Amino acid sequence: MKTIYILLTKSDTFVSRIIRLLTADSYTHVSLSFNRTLRPLYSFSRKYIYRPLPAGLHREELDKGFFKRFDTIPCALYSLDVEEEVYISAQNQVLSMMRNAGFYRFNIIGLFLCRMNIPFKRRRHFFCSQFVSEVLKNSNALKLPKNPSLMRPADYQKLPELKHIFTGNLRSLARALEFELNRIQVASAPQLKKSV
């Protein structure tokens, strides 16, 4: 078995506040990772810290860019255990998209139609939860309760297949991940024999 990680966040940006106002959702952004250190995360998001546009397919890092600058925002981390071929399929989809990231655009129209419960798919256009949902659906990692273009970040909290790992803020999550990474490195380091 392999594990895919899903990170939900809620920032205090203008776009996030509008989404919360329209939906009352607890989380407004979702990212995907194939590594338990969450390095890297993938999503459709802003490319610059202080401007919502341009936005598109983007690598997100907890210790860089937007997430580092706004590391006190609330987050929740979930895991999804899948068969190895499913994991490889999902990862290959994302890596293929990343190689052609310049061809992908943020689906602004789809974001608003999602709130009105109107499915809308446009070639090479995604918003964050639509992207994550398409990857999981296309790789058979997860059976979605609705069309990928109607999935919102907060919907992931309700999926029984996901295991909740963490709730807090990004800073405390980064510390917990760093602690876990250090623990793994110490455990796997060769042990020195004591001299008698």
Side-chain angles (χ1 to χ4, degrees):
M1 293 294 274
K2 300 284 258 180
T3 305
I4 297 172
Y5 297 90
I6 295 164
L7 178 66
L8 306 178
T9 53
K10 176 183 72 173
S11 71
D12 199 33
T13 63
F14 175 74
V15 174
S16 182
R17 287 195 306 265
I18 293 292
I19 292 170
R20 281 198 319 269
L21 183 68
L22 295 173
T23 64
D25 286 346
S26 49
Y27 294 100
T28 57
H29 183 66
V30 61
S31 310
L32 187 67
S33 183
F34 300 97
N35 189 316
R36 70 195 226 171
T37 62
L38 304 186
R39 292 184 179 144
L41 289 153
Y42 301 98
S43 191
F44 270 72
S45 61
R46 62 179 60 213
K47 294 188 177 183
Y48 302 105
I49 295 175
Y50 297 104
R51 293 192 323 222
L53 296 173
L57 182 57
H58 187 59
R59 279 176 62 133
E60 299 172 321
E61 305 282 347
L62 291 178
D63 58 351
K64 294 179 185 171
F66 183 86
F67 282 163
K68 180 166 178 65
R69 173 69 180 87
F70 300 99
D71 65 352
T72 58
I73 64 175
C75 67
L77 181 63
Y78 292 83
S79 65
L80 174 64
D81 291 331
V82 296
E83 297 295 331
E84 187 167 0
E85 60 270 14
V86 170
Y87 176 92
I88 291 168
S89 173
Q91 189 176 46
N92 285 343
Q93 280 180 70
V94 172
L95 294 177
S96 174
M97 290 175 77
M98 286 301 297
R99 283 191 292 274
N100 299 292
F103 293 106
Y104 291 92
R105 301 286 180 260
F106 193 80
N107 189 2
I108 296 172
I109 297 168
L111 182 64
F112 289 106
L113 291 176
C114 176
R115 175 59 189 109
M116 294 184 282
N117 207 34
I118 300 170
F120 178 74
K121 184 171 181 175
R122 188 173 170 199
R123 188 169 183 259
R124 294 186 178 155
H125 285 69
F126 297 90
F127 52 90
C128 65
S129 52
Q130 181 184 20
F131 161 70
V132 170
S133 300
E134 286 281 353
V135 168
L136 296 178
K137 177 186 170 218
N138 293 341
S139 63
N140 294 313
L142 192 60
K143 186 169 181 172
L144 299 173
K146 50 185 158 179
N147 186 295
S149 68
L150 297 178
M151 288 289 290
R152 301 192 323 235
D155 290 331
Y156 281 93
Q157 293 177 280
K158 304 168 195 162
L159 298 178
E161 299 89 349
L162 299 186
K163 178 182 172 191
H164 177 258
I165 298 175
F166 178 90
T167 296
N169 64 38
L170 286 176
R171 184 184 304 158
S172 56
L173 174 61
R175 285 186 189 142
L177 292 171
E178 192 62 36
F179 175 79
E180 176 69 10
L181 184 61
N182 289 336
R183 188 184 65 74
I184 292 166
Q185 288 172 345
V186 167
S188 64
Q191 300 298 315
L192 298 175
K193 291 183 180 178
K194 291 183 180 178
S195 55
V196 181

